[in-house]
Amino acid sequence: MVTALIPNLIQKYSRKQKSKLPPGPKPWPIVGNLPEMLSNKPAHQWIHNLMKEMNTEIACIRLGNTYVIPVICPTIARVFLREQDAIFASRSLTTCTDLVSSGYLTTILVPFGDQWKKMKKTLSNALLSSHQLLRFHDKRNEEADNLMFYVYNKCKNVNDGVGGLVNIRSVARHYSGNVIRKLVFNTRYFGKGMKDGEPGFEEVEHVDSIFVLLRYLYAFSVSDYMPCLRGLDLDGHQKKVKEALRVIKKYHDPIVEERIKQWNDTPKVDEEDWLDILISLKDANNKPSLTLEEINAQIIDLLIATVDNPSNAFEWALAEMINQPKLLQRATEELDSVVGKERLVQESDVPKLNYVKACAREAFRLHPMAPFNPPHVSLSDTTVGNYFIPKGSHVILSRKELGRNPKVWNEPHKFKPERHLNVSNVVLTEPNLRFISFSTGMRSCPGVMLGTTMTGMLFARLLHGFTWSAPFNVSTINLTESKDDISLAEPLVAVAKPRLAPQLYQL
Ligand code: HEM
């Protein structure tokens, strides 16, 4: 037995000796490259600039005692998430992910292990299967109809032919927020609601708080790399996340508690929404599968998974398309030919709308929601290419640079939906990681069907229902990225004019 182990050890040792870490800046003792990271904010820009200067598509940056491995090349990305997927199936531990997942009870933020397996299986089977997607079609449709009603109301008080000013960021984020609230809680509004379809104070507070969580989950907080600093909240991220969670829980907790009480008093015959499903799931001993803490935490996980990508993609795509009106024209021509002008787009139309889907796909490529994919943490030492990747490394695939890699994409900075039209059915997934939409492998997104449907409907309804242009005094939309992340620096405001019969916009 021992003799059999010796060659293995020698092999492993000599592999370590031969292969070195990916190239990177020389680390300082103990703190590694944290000083450079702190003096070159935002961190994502520093990392990307560093890779450009070093002319490398994979790097190794030591933050405290953690090896952070950014990747901008699809071939290398595929080794991590396809060939060696099982090794890179864990997630990093950060103070903010700990807070948001209530101590790692959920799916997205949870390291590899039994809890992640349990929750991912629950989501995939009980909430996100094609059967469940069909079952809750009408709830999503109510929100797609409300989207039209809401935007139409923004135009209706304006003189004929002038159109109404619409804050696209707000409209798109609230459409996503409405859909997920309707699916989870069977309600659009936490408060009294609004007559013209717009979000009330409660919904604005709710959606804004979800975006605060998204901003800080993996925000290169110095205390995550120097555990001795953990309690100090030097950059203030923990305080902001705690406040956002307080707001979110203020709305969720009473609904969840009341619903559990209802189920305990008299079990319902049928589940009306995802909350009912989560409460009524049973394990092999006919006991509730999920605890109250798991249900509460998992709901927050679902919210953060849903609100950002469709809304960010639409905001960017529309900004790009207003600057290239031929693209808008081509999209509306497709919509008029597939759907006509006598009815609204339905989910069943979306598969036939290749050009509209190509616009969404192009937005995911060129303007992803975040600079990096969530970290994938290695469960053992390994070698990728000729580089040694130690156990515990944080691999961060660059969503920004994979989609703009000039070796893969011709004119990478140009918004050109037609580049995706070389297939008979355009899809939003990209398992080859030439850009990242839903990612691939064990940690890939289980919400592909719902995410594709929501994105397709958001694009198709708004492009079919309205003619879009820049505001009166604006010649072209400013496409500058925000300094902190890669969202549009200023929320897109555009002019909408209804292009269908007035009765089609009514609820
Ligand atoms: C257009 C919409 C969406 C996009 C582009 C998207 C994209 C992604 C990406 C990039 C990841 C990370 C994959 C990785 O770590 O490699 C992810 C994970 C995840 N997504 Fe989505 N997503 C979308 C919608 C949704 C929806 C609607 C849900 C559920 C309601 C959902 C649930 C999840 C979950 C649970 C994970 C974590 C998977 C894991 O860690 O095992 N997503 N998604």
Side-chain angles (χ1 to χ4, degrees):
M1 189 67 181
V2 175
T3 42
L5 274 176
I6 289 171
N8 279 347
L9 285 174
I10 294 174
Q11 222 180 15
K12 197 173 168 192
Y13 179 74
S14 55
R15 201 172 60 207
K16 267 192 191 178
Q17 289 297 91
K18 258 194 265 151
S19 46
K20 48 186 189 338
L21 292 167
K26 195 163 180 279
W28 300 93
I30 304 172
V31 293
N33 303 111
L34 281 173
E36 293 97 308
M37 183 184 91
L38 290 174
S39 51
N40 289 287
K41 285 184 180 174
H44 74 88
Q45 225 164 57
W46 168 64
I47 295 173
H48 286 127
N49 288 343
L50 203 111
M51 293 178 82
K52 211 170 269 166
E53 280 160 25
M54 299 181 73
N55 192 21
T56 183
E57 295 187 311
I58 176 169
C60 176
I61 299 169
R62 198 154 69 73
L63 300 179
N65 58 5
T66 305
Y67 292 102
V68 175
I69 316 280
V71 175
I72 62 169
C73 157
T75 314
I76 307 175
R78 287 196 292 271
V79 179
F80 283 108
L81 294 204
R82 285 174 51 168
E83 282 172 36
Q84 302 201 26
D85 181 31
I87 293 182
F88 293 98
S90 202
R91 292 271 194 240
S92 56
L93 306 178
T94 74
T95 311
C96 293
T97 56
D98 188 2
L99 287 168
V100 173
S101 65
S102 296
Y104 301 108
L105 294 178
T106 61
T107 317
I108 310 180
L109 312 172
V110 176
F112 181 80
D114 289 342
Q115 184 66 18
W116 168 73
K117 285 187 200 160
K118 170 182 166 181
M119 299 310 272
K120 185 132 187 191
K121 197 166 148 200
T122 303
L123 291 192
S124 306
N125 297 344
L127 304 183
L128 298 168
S129 64
S130 44
H131 167 72
Q132 294 297 3
L133 196 73
L134 261 179
R135 180 174 171 194
F136 292 121
H137 164 272
D138 293 355
K139 294 190 194 303
R140 293 189 301 278
N141 223 37
E142 280 174 33
E143 295 317 315
D145 288 348
N146 185 67
L147 170 71
M148 302 305 270
F149 178 63
Y150 172 30
V151 177
Y152 182 74
N153 286 338
K154 297 239 160 249
C155 313
K156 118 181 148 189
N157 297 327
V158 186
N159 292 340
D160 259 3
V162 176
L165 271 186
V166 179
N167 180 327
I168 300 297
R169 181 171 300 178
S170 165
V171 162
R173 285 183 176 187
H174 282 289
Y175 161 72
S176 306
N178 289 352
V179 171
I180 194 67
R181 268 196 304 276
K182 187 60 75 68
L183 289 174
V184 175
F185 297 116
N186 200 20
T187 185
R188 177 181 313 139
Y189 294 115
F190 285 138
K192 287 199 187 110
M194 306 290 277
K195 278 207 297 286
D196 59 2
E198 65 179 303
F201 165 80
E202 295 83 356
E203 291 69 52
V204 171
E205 209 185 30
H206 188 234
V207 169
D208 285 352
S209 301
I210 299 165
F211 275 90
V212 171
L213 300 189
L214 281 162
R215 177 166 180 180
Y216 293 113
L217 285 174
Y218 294 114
F220 296 98
S221 177
V222 74
S223 46
D224 290 329
Y225 304 104
M226 297 291 291
C228 58
L229 302 177
R230 197 151 270 185
L232 298 180
D233 193 20
L234 293 175
D235 38 24
H237 294 185
Q238 291 174 42
K239 188 167 172 229
K240 289 186 180 130
V241 164
K242 281 182 187 164
E243 174 54 19
L245 282 172
R246 186 193 66 73
V247 170
I248 292 171
K249 288 178 185 194
K250 170 178 85 179
Y251 295 117
H252 293 189
D253 289 0
I255 305 180
V256 176
E257 278 159 29
E258 173 59 28
R259 195 73 75 78
I260 290 182
K261 191 170 165 297
Q262 271 177 21
W263 274 89
N264 286 342
D265 292 348
T266 18
K268 292 187 184 176
V269 185
D270 200 14
E271 297 101 354
E272 266 176 68
D273 53 27
W274 284 3
L275 178 55
D276 275 344
I277 296 179
L278 293 175
I279 294 173
S280 60
L281 284 173
K282 295 281 189 293
D283 66 13
N285 302 317
N286 209 28
K287 296 262 179 300
S289 287
L290 303 180
T291 64
L292 172 64
E293 292 73 27
E294 285 174 328
I295 293 174
N296 280 329
Q298 185 54 63
I299 289 175
I300 297 178
D301 216 48
L302 289 166
L303 292 166
I304 57 179
T306 310
V307 292
D308 56 350
N309 286 295
S311 53
N312 179 66
F314 183 70
E315 186 185 2
W316 269 110
L318 188 62
E320 293 270 13
M321 290 167 87
I322 289 175
N323 285 354
Q324 299 186 62
K326 283 208 169 110
L327 308 189
L328 275 177
Q329 191 190 337
R330 188 159 173 193
T332 36
E333 277 167 12
E334 176 180 76
L335 283 153
D336 289 349
S337 117
V338 172
V339 181
K341 291 183 83 173
E342 281 71 50
R343 64 174 181 87
L344 297 180
V345 182
Q346 301 302 312
E347 285 186 3
S348 55
D349 296 313
V350 174
K352 291 169 249 162
L353 299 169
N354 265 349
Y355 189 75
V356 171
K357 285 186 286 174
C359 294
R361 189 173 159 86
E362 182 66 345
F364 283 141
R365 177 193 74 80
L366 183 55
H367 299 298
M369 177 58 209
F372 292 107
N373 204 31
H376 282 236
V377 171
S378 52
L379 294 160
S380 59
D381 286 351
T382 187
T383 304
V384 170
N386 287 326
Y387 295 120
F388 174 59
I389 310 291
K391 176 179 175 180
S393 297
H394 294 189
V395 175
I396 47 172
L397 303 186
S398 170
R399 290 180 82 171
K400 181 178 171 203
E401 294 300 329
L402 280 167
R404 300 177 189 186
N405 189 321
K407 290 186 192 153
V408 180
W409 301 103
N410 149 40
E411 292 190 280
H413 293 273
K414 182 141 197 235
F415 188 84
K416 277 204 308 192
E418 60 276 19
R419 66 170 91 237
H420 304 291
L421 290 176
N422 54 351
V423 289
S424 57
N425 178 29
V426 175
V427 291
L428 302 189
T429 49
E430 175 51 35
N432 289 326
L433 301 176
R434 294 178 310 143
F435 64 90
I436 293 189
S437 56
F438 297 96
S439 190
T440 192
M442 288 167 74
R443 297 304 296 238
S444 69
C445 179
V448 173
M449 282 188 292
L450 177 60
T452 299
T453 304
M454 285 177 64
T455 309
M457 284 298 274
L458 178 61
F459 272 70
R461 280 276 173 116
L462 291 181
L463 293 173
H464 184 230
F466 303 91
T467 305
W468 294 99
S469 56
F472 170 62
N473 50 355
V474 175
S475 54
T476 48
I477 304 287
N478 179 357
L479 298 177
T480 310
E481 285 174 354
S482 134
K483 284 207 180 74
D484 300 330
D485 54 31
I486 51 173
S487 58
L488 198 58
E490 291 299 325
L492 174 64
V493 175
V495 177
K497 280 187 219 164
R499 55 188 300 281
L500 305 174
Q503 66 274 16
L504 290 180
Y505 299 90
Q506 303 311 313
L507 293 180

